[in-house]
Amino acid sequence: MTHLADLADDLAFVRKRVDRVNRSVFPSSILFLWAGIILAGSVLIDLAPTVGRAFWLVAGPLGGVVSAALGWRWSVALGVENMEVARKQALHWGGLLAALLVSQLLVMSGAMRGEEFGAQVLLIVSLSYFYAGIHMHKSLLWLSGIQAVAFLVAVLVPTLPGSITGVVMAAGFVWVGVVADRHIGHNSPPLLRR
């Protein structure tokens, strides 16, 4: 009977590990990447709006590609190559990018001013992170909340420099990255462990 109890314990352990890996775990390096992009982009928008807009048009899509590469490398190092999860993540974040690029038409057509567009971006991104927090990893809900507050600040206090909310959001990304790293770090692949 002891043999069956040991086998049940072993299977429970394996099941717990598989469930943990099946949750969409991501490397904290993605969050640190976006903290840097957000910080640089928000400061540039305040100091040189034309350069800032150009920065976001390049850094947004490029950051998405780098994030995908980091996530794929992470999953391969974990030994998990789940194409279904990869497809869902690509659709989720690709949908966010598409929504942001298409919403640029509002500014280009004159239907919306650039300042209003910044607030709209925060709202769209906050909603996207909210859904990611529900379906991918609950720590992203914190980022959604921070972005929602940044949206409210941008709407209610439009004279406040965007770099202030950018610093707060970047700090939030770093904080969630550190918390996620602590939570996941001891199980991370040896190549990705600090």
Side-chain angles (χ1 to χ4, degrees):
M1 214 49 167
T2 308
H3 178 67
L4 288 176
D6 289 344
L7 183 60
D9 287 345
D10 290 346
L11 288 174
F13 173 80
V14 169
R15 175 62 186 205
K16 188 176 179 181
R17 292 292 175 177
V18 168
D19 285 345
R20 185 173 188 159
V21 168
N22 281 338
R23 284 182 285 154
S24 295
V25 177
F26 54 88
S28 55
S29 57
I30 292 174
L31 297 171
F32 300 147
L33 168 72
W34 283 101
I37 290 171
I38 289 167
L39 186 59
S42 62
V43 169
L44 281 172
I45 287 288
D46 282 347
L47 298 178
T50 304
V51 174
R53 284 189 290 277
F55 172 83
W56 279 111
L57 284 173
V58 172
L62 186 59
V65 170
V66 172
S67 295
L70 289 170
W72 184 256
R73 179 178 169 205
W74 172 267
S75 64
V76 168
L78 279 175
V80 178
E81 296 178 39
N82 188 332
M83 290 308 293
E84 181 65 19
V85 170
R87 185 184 65 75
K88 286 180 180 178
Q89 294 226 6
L91 287 172
H92 177 85
W93 299 112
L96 169 62
L97 177 61
L100 293 175
L101 291 174
V102 168
S103 63
Q104 276 282 342
L105 295 173
L106 293 170
V107 176
M108 292 167 58
S109 70
M112 181 182 283
R113 292 189 336 242
E115 299 81 23
E116 295 166 341
F117 178 71
Q120 178 184 336
V121 165
L122 288 171
L123 181 61
I124 293 170
V125 170
S126 174
L127 186 60
S128 185
Y129 272 84
F130 176 75
Y131 290 130
I134 291 172
H135 299 292
M136 294 177 197
H137 198 279
K138 65 182 178 181
S139 66
L140 298 177
L141 289 171
W142 286 102
L143 296 177
S144 172
I146 291 168
Q147 292 160 349
V149 169
F151 163 75
L152 290 173
V153 168
V155 170
L156 299 174
V157 191
T159 57
L160 186 71
S163 54
I164 293 174
T165 56
V167 167
V168 171
M169 286 193 319
F173 272 72
V174 169
W175 177 70
V176 170
V178 169
V179 169
D181 198 37
R182 275 194 200 145
H183 177 69
I184 298 164
H186 64 282
N187 291 323
S188 63
L191 292 175
L192 301 173
R193 230 180 263 146
R194 288 180 214 209

